[in-house]
Amino acid sequence: MRRQLLVAIFLLPGCTVAPQPEDCRVHPTSELWAACLSQSCAACQCLSTPGEIDAARRTSSDVASLTATLEGGRECQADLAVSLLPTLSGGDLEDVMRALGMMASHFPESFLRVVDRGRLDQPRIRRIVRMLPLSVVDNDAARLNLVEERASALSGVEDPSLIQVRDTTVRDLNEYEQELRRRIDAKEE
């Protein structure tokens, strides 16, 4: 029986059917974590359930592995990352938020779907989309360029169900863009 459930959970294509809680409990968290990182939506959904969130956050190394998967724009892993946000702090929190921000640039529609499903409040979304790569922290011009690109990418999302979150997020980025422009102008004076 265990082998059949393992196949059902780990080979389930897509995220269309959520696994039942009893299906999730037959697997150790370490197995679910490994399966999630190797593209199993069902395993990520198991880890995203309320009873599993604390167990899912294992080590900074695990969080770093999850963060790396977000570069591919996979919504299942992003859903897990969003569900873990309340349990993270310090560098882990910043790394996950930074990776989600990069997802907004490269996979804007997927990002907006994840944010919408994750029921994030606007201050959290604002912090996520303002998180930029560490390589531009001290370069306002490069930051401005990335913010403009991110706002443009998000503006291109036309899914009617995402328009509200898109518009609010783009408005926040436009405000950030203006802050950066003022900072650049002040340095030039």
Side-chain angles (χ1 to χ4, degrees), residues 101-102 105 129 131-132 146-154 173:
M102 292 305 295
S105 296
V129 296
M131 291 294 277
L132 300 170
L146 288 175
V147 168
E148 289 170 341
E149 289 174 6
R150 188 168 290 175
S152 177
L154 289 163
L173 282 170

Side-chain angles (χ1 to χ4, degrees), residues 18-168:
Q20 298 301 310
E22 58 274 8
D23 294 338
C24 297
R25 283 193 294 269
V26 300
H27 302 287
T29 300
S30 59
E31 285 181 19
L32 292 171
W33 190 268
C36 176
L37 295 180
S38 65
Q39 312 299 325
S40 170
C41 289
C44 291
Q45 289 172 336
C46 282
L47 290 171
S48 297
T49 60
E52 290 295 321
I53 294 298
D54 289 334
R57 187 187 178 280
R58 297 164 38 83
T59 66
S60 288
S61 176
D62 291 332
V63 173
S65 295
L66 176 63
T67 300
T69 67
L70 298 180
E71 293 175 9
R74 296 274 303 177
E75 290 183 29
C76 299
Q77 286 82 5
D79 285 332
L80 175 58
V82 166
S83 68
L84 287 174
L85 287 173
T87 71
L88 300 173
S89 62
D92 287 344
L93 176 61
E94 288 181 5
D95 291 346
V96 169
M97 289 175 55
R98 186 170 281 104
L100 288 167
M102 292 305 295
M103 187 178 180
S105 296
H106 301 293
F107 303 96
E109 191 163 339
S110 292
F111 170 79
L112 291 173
R113 275 195 299 269
V114 167
V115 165
D116 194 47
R117 275 194 306 265
R119 307 275 192 278
L120 295 175
D121 61 14
Q122 198 54 41
R124 174 76 73 161
I125 297 169
R126 181 180 305 116
R127 286 190 302 273
I128 290 171
V129 296
R130 288 180 174 211
M131 291 294 277
L132 300 170
L134 292 173
S135 61
V136 299
V137 168
D138 295 325
N139 185 338
D140 286 336
R143 288 169 58 193
L144 177 61
N145 186 44
L146 288 175
V147 168
E148 289 170 341
E149 289 174 6
R150 188 168 290 175
S152 177
L154 289 163
S155 294
V157 174
E158 297 179 359
D159 182 333
S161 67
L162 300 174
I163 288 178
Q164 183 177 1
V165 69
R166 177 204 66 191
D167 289 349
T168 305

